[in-house]
Amino acid sequence: MFTFILQLSLGIMAVSTLLYVIRVIKGPTVPDRVVALDGIGINLIAMTALVSILIKTTAFLDIILLLGILSFIGTIAFAKFLEKGEIIENDRNR
Amino acid sequence: MQLLHFAILAPFLFAFIVPFLYKRVKRVHTGWFVLILPVVLFVYFISKLPITMAGETVRYAAEWIPSLGINYTVYIDGLGLLFALLITGIGSLVTLYSIFYLSKDKEKLGPFYVYLLMFMGAMLGVVLVDNVIVLYMFWELTSLSSFLLIGYWYKREKSRYGAEKSLLITVGGGLCMLGGFILLYLMTDSFSIREMVNQVHIIAGHPFFIPAMILLLLGAFTKSAQFPFYIWLPDAMEAPTPVSAYLHSATMVKAGIYLIARFSPIFAFSPVWFWTVASVGLITMVWASFNAVRQTDLKAILAFSTVSQLGMIVSMLGAGAAALHYQHSEYFTAAVTAAVFHLINHATFKGSLFMAVGIIDHETGTRDIRRLGGLMALMPITFTVSLIGTFSMAGLPPFNGFLSKEMFFTSMLRIAHADIFNLDTWGVLFPVLAWIGSVFTFIYSMKLFFRTFRGPRKPDQLEKTPHEAPLGMLISPVILAACAVSLFFAPNVLSYSLIEPAMNSIYPALLTGGDTFHVHISQWHGVTAELLMTLGIIIVGTIGYVTLSKWERLYGLFPKKLSLNRLYDAVTGNMEKRSYQLTSSYMTGFLRDYLLYTFAAFIILIGTAFVMKDGFSVTTKGMAEIGLYEIVLSLVMVSATAATVFAKSRLTAIISLGVVGYTLALFFVIFRAPDLALTQLVIETISVALFLLCFYHLPKMRRKKKTRTFRMTNFIISLGVGVIVTMLGIASSSEKTKDSIASFFTAYSHKLGGGNNIVNVILVDFRGFDTMFEITVLSIAALGIYSMIRTKVKEEGEER
């Protein structure tokens, strides 16, 4: 029963990811896509957690942390890119 | 290493000293130093005569590459010695002549004598070496040195053209010959000619027999300027006259004849050999003598005449092969006697003629027959030499050419009566063609002689006031002309000293016991068919010469487009043009085209392999179950991929690509590869960031956000690649024949590697080498990026 619930949740998360992908594809604006990408990242975290419960391992816990960091950095980078046009600014005093 | 080894190498060694002598000793003409060498060698080779006259041979081996069977083996027999004497003897005379011909102050003598010595050594090597590979080496050295000598006046366009042409043709033939040698090696397992002759019975029945023979003959025919390869020789006349006299009349062009004679014991019993050699020789003779008549340049006449005479010798060598099929072989070996005798005769009179023409050129400033005339009284000695040379060439008594021409007719008439190889039907052509060729020979000889020395003087057309040449220049042609006369009166001096030993090496197996070839050359053998033929030549030839101006127009009828030179120029010119066109047709410079070729080749090769080998198979055995979320995730990946491909803007493509990467990471999670998932996530993030960086820095002009245009070819190719790769994947996973070695790693990673993370233990312990070089790759990439950004090479014109 527990396995079934886990698998069902995984299925739901996968469907949700698919819907995010549709948003990524359709847009219509770039921020829409970026937010969808961020959502996909969070979904990935959830799915990784579910998988590790399903296969009874702790090996994927690193990935959850990493995903959290990366999707944050990624979204920030995108946001900065959209805002200023570049990600790493040149130091003017150099 | 015996003395004989050094005798062959001596010219090469001496060639090293020549530049020093040329630079240091300015007062003396370098040729005087060079002259010593061929004279010494000539005397040395004369001292070897008793050996071959006794029917014996000398063979010395010296190791060169013994593991490959390539040894510097020298071998003296009748044939080799005859050629060695010709090379050194005429070499001495030519050197002497060149001392007076080439000016000490105006010409670069150092290179000239270096090339000449190189040629002499190479030629000696060709005729005295027993190992075919070494023979080939010397053979190519003759081609090379001949190329250098023809292009001696390298500032002239025509010299360069002639040198290039002769190199292309002779080296092409030389390569064919090498192929023939290799085939012979495959048949006999030996590089030694002697050994090959001993294994004739093996060679005879071998499937390589005919290819080896054809390749070998191609080498011989190109070198000896036979039809249709003779075209390089008239163009080689741009060389200095001593070179023409030496290389293109007496020695190099006879290398092919040497080759034919040398390999006669191996191939001659074959009908193909007989027909090819004899008919090519005759065709060459007739064609070249026919063409010689129309020439107006003295050297061109002599060049065509050389071709024609070589054809005559070759045809006699071919005709002699008939002897192998008869019990009473003496009847047909007469042809070989005649060939060898004419070989010597031709060297004497053609050498002297070239030198005489050189004198005329030197003293009048022109070689054009239309501007010359009436030189008889002005240049009496040259006149006498030319008289002997041309009349001997035409085959008139009392000169040596008469004897060999009579013998030529004898052999051709005998061939006509043979009853082998369908000769009873076609044989009659042989004497007829020989006779026609001789008539033309008579006409051009007379033209050469009378147009130059008789007729009205044309002093206004000459650049210099003609006068007799200096004495030194006359010595060599006079000696050769004297030979030509004395050989008529005493031809039997040569019979058993040179001709008989040479025949013995051409047909060693023909005579049994202590038998010798009966060689007796007589000036008069009664009123025979041959004599009548000669008389006919004189009559018809005289009529032909007198009426030359009337029928000379016939040559104009011959279409110029059909000439072999045209063909050569068209082939070489078109080859360059066509290959350029071909190359530029597919080397477009666009990367997309090259990718197209690569992928198309991939599809075609692997697809054909699938079809030919019936390689595709599917089994469902051992497959894992598929969960619902796996299907949905695959859908995610597919749709993200599709979004990348069909994206309207680049940014969308980058983001979709990121989605693909992240989903891949999730697949790694599902398929239980935490390390891979970790790495994949980080790398994907970085590369998406890099893509964004690239996207931002795209040049402004092109930022039109164009969608990709649809191309059918690209679609088909990409579809094909996808299908093929999928098929490969399915087929290879269905056909697993061996268990994987993974069980070893799971069992031993803790025990041997001291770690529980199997992936990491493999990476740094079991297969640490791969990791080390991956690290290297990354460092190189980082350094590369750094240096690409930092070092900016300024554009041309700017200062650095």
Side-chain angles (χ1 to χ4, degrees), chain B residues 16-54:
Chain B
F16 278 103
I17 317 170
V18 168
F20 293 105
L21 289 173
Y22 177 57
K23 292 269 179 208
R24 297 280 163 204
V25 193
K26 288 271 182 199
R27 278 191 309 125
V28 187
H29 194 287
T30 320
W32 288 113
F33 301 111
V34 177
L35 182 61
I36 303 163
L37 185 79
V39 172
V40 169
L41 284 176
F42 184 68
V43 174
Y44 172 74
F45 282 122
I46 288 225
S47 74
K48 296 281 177 194
L49 263 181
I51 301 175
T52 58
M53 280 170 76

Side-chain angles (χ1 to χ4, degrees), chain B residues 736-746 767:
Chain B
K736 270 186 187 157
T737 48
K738 296 261 166 36
D739 293 332
S740 84
I741 56 163
S743 54
F744 169 82
F745 293 122
T746 47
R767 298 212 178 136

Side-chain angles (χ1 to χ4, degrees), chain B residues 548-625:
Chain B
L548 185 60
S549 53
K550 299 219 168 57
W551 61 271
E552 213 168 17
R553 250 173 288 150
L554 273 176
Y555 286 109
L557 295 176
F558 187 75
K560 271 194 170 172
K561 276 186 182 167
L562 284 178
S563 78
L564 283 161
N565 276 320
R566 243 336 147 78
L567 184 72
Y568 167 84
D569 289 336
V571 166
T572 47
N574 276 333
M575 208 134 78
E576 207 177 313
K577 214 165 74 189
R578 297 275 173 241
S579 45
Y580 182 75
Q581 277 175 357
L582 183 72
T583 317
S584 53
S585 72
Y586 70 90
M587 300 296 276
T588 52
F590 292 114
L591 210 54
R592 56 167 179 264
D593 290 330
Y594 306 147
L595 276 179
L596 189 78
Y597 308 145
T598 317
F599 286 132
F602 174 79
I603 294 168
I604 291 165
L605 290 178
I606 299 190
T608 327
F610 266 135
V611 175
M612 302 279 279
K613 297 278 172 189
D614 198 18
F616 186 66
S617 66
V618 188
T619 45
T620 47
K621 206 181 73 182
M623 273 195 176
E625 273 184 57

Side-chain angles (χ1 to χ4, degrees), chain A residues 7 10-11 14-15 17-18 21 24-25 30 33-34 37 40 44 47-48 51 54-55 59-60 62-63 66-67 70 74 78 81-82 84-87, chain B residues 628-629 632-633 635-636 639-640 643 649 651-652 654-656 658-659 662-663 666 668-670 672-674 677-678 681-682 685 688-689 692 695-696:
Chain A
Q7 282 184 344
L10 263 176
V15 171
T17 314
L18 192 61
V21 169
V24 168
I25 295 166
V30 177
R33 295 193 173 102
V34 175
L37 205 63
I40 289 175
L44 288 182
M47 287 171 86
T48 313
V51 167
L54 192 66
I55 61 180
F60 297 119
D62 301 346
I63 294 172
L66 186 75
L67 266 172
L70 284 182
F78 259 115
F81 177 72
L82 291 173
K84 295 194 171 179
E86 58 189 336
I87 298 166
Chain B
L628 178 70
Y629 55 95
V632 178
L633 275 180
L635 276 179
V636 169
S639 49
S649 76
L651 202 56
T652 322
I654 293 167
I655 292 169
S656 322
V659 173
Y662 283 127
T663 325
L666 196 62
F668 284 145
V669 169
I670 292 168
R672 297 173 201 190
L678 273 177
L681 280 172
V682 180
T685 313
V688 167
L692 286 175
F695 168 74
Y696 178 73

Side-chain angles (χ1 to χ4, degrees), chain B residues 162 165-174 176-177 213-236 252-253 256 260 276 280-281 283-285 287-288 303-304 307-308 310 314 563-565 567-568:
Chain B
K165 193 173 185 177
S166 73
L167 190 75
L168 280 178
I169 293 177
T170 53
V171 167
C176 290
M177 193 185 77
M213 182 168 94
I214 298 295
L215 287 172
L216 208 83
L217 282 179
L218 274 176
F221 286 168
T222 48
K223 198 76 158 181
S224 280
Q226 296 297 295
F227 190 87
F229 308 112
Y230 68 85
I231 48 170
W232 65 268
L233 201 126
D235 281 311
M252 187 177 90
V253 286
I260 293 174
T276 323
V280 167
I283 291 168
T284 313
M285 183 201 169
W287 179 248
F304 276 102
V307 174
S308 151
L310 289 170
V314 166
S563 78
L564 283 161
N565 276 320
L567 184 72
Y568 167 84

Side-chain angles (χ1 to χ4, degrees), chain B residues 263-563:
Chain B
F263 282 89
S264 284
I266 299 178
F267 294 114
F269 56 83
S270 149
V272 183
W273 172 276
F274 171 82
W275 277 110
T276 323
V277 177
S279 57
V280 167
L282 265 184
I283 291 168
T284 313
M285 183 201 169
V286 176
W287 179 248
S289 57
F290 173 69
N291 270 307
V293 180
R294 70 194 287 197
Q295 305 301 323
T296 51
D297 180 28
L298 290 177
K299 271 175 103 174
I301 298 179
L302 289 182
F304 276 102
S305 139
T306 304
V307 174
S308 151
Q309 304 277 321
L310 289 170
M312 181 174 150
I313 298 173
V314 166
S315 71
M316 286 190 275
L317 277 177
L324 291 171
H325 295 265
Y326 285 96
Q327 209 67 33
H328 303 288
S329 51
E330 199 86 327
Y331 191 62
F332 291 105
T333 48
V336 183
T337 316
V340 178
F341 187 48
H342 192 66
L343 186 82
I344 304 167
N345 290 345
H346 178 248
T348 56
F349 67 69
K350 193 51 68 66
S352 70
L353 271 180
F354 264 111
M355 291 176 189
V357 164
I359 290 170
I360 295 167
D361 187 14
H362 212 264
E363 303 307 330
T364 63
T366 183
R367 293 196 313 246
D368 195 326
I369 208 161
R370 289 165 297 192
R371 292 161 68 187
L372 292 166
L375 295 178
M376 187 174 111
L378 296 169
M379 307 169 84
I381 301 176
T382 318
F383 161 78
T384 317
V385 167
S386 305
L387 175 97
I388 295 168
T390 46
F391 280 53
S392 177
M393 187 157 74
L396 298 177
F399 308 108
N400 56 1
F402 170 71
L403 299 176
S404 41
K405 185 134 294 178
E406 294 272 281
M407 291 161 76
F408 172 54
F409 288 143
T410 311
S411 55
M412 286 300 141
L413 284 169
R414 285 178 180 179
I415 279 298
H417 295 133
D419 52 0
I420 43 164
F421 311 147
N422 292 330
L423 274 174
D424 35 359
T425 43
W426 294 104
V428 73
L429 277 177
F430 280 75
V432 171
L433 280 176
W435 188 78
I436 294 172
S438 304
V439 170
F440 283 116
T441 307
F442 183 86
I443 296 175
Y444 73 69
S445 301
M446 293 308 115
K447 182 181 172 185
L448 180 70
F449 177 68
F450 284 106
R451 294 278 167 94
T452 315
F453 292 101
R454 300 304 306 267
R457 283 183 205 166
K458 301 164 189 166
D460 48 323
Q461 294 203 26
L462 300 178
E463 287 158 26
K464 299 174 187 170
T465 336
H467 56 82
E468 189 55 275
L471 189 64
M473 220 173 193
L474 289 166
I475 298 172
S476 303
V478 165
I479 292 175
L480 283 173
C483 283
V485 180
S486 50
L487 276 181
F488 173 79
F489 291 107
N492 290 311
V493 176
L494 297 176
S495 301
Y496 289 96
S497 59
L498 280 174
I499 298 176
E500 202 274 332
M503 286 176 71
N504 237 334
S505 40
I506 297 176
Y507 291 120
L510 203 58
L511 299 178
T512 46
D515 228 358
T516 51
F517 287 101
H518 176 74
V519 179
H520 184 78
I521 302 161
S522 55
Q523 288 90 345
W524 176 255
H525 20 214
V527 183
T528 51
E530 294 91 311
L531 193 70
L532 293 175
M533 280 168 89
T534 308
L535 275 176
I537 288 168
I538 296 172
I539 295 163
V540 177
T542 314
I543 296 168
Y545 172 69
V546 172
T547 57
L548 185 60
S549 53
K550 299 219 168 57
W551 61 271
E552 213 168 17
R553 250 173 288 150
L554 273 176
Y555 286 109
L557 295 176
F558 187 75
K560 271 194 170 172
K561 276 186 182 167
L562 284 178
S563 78

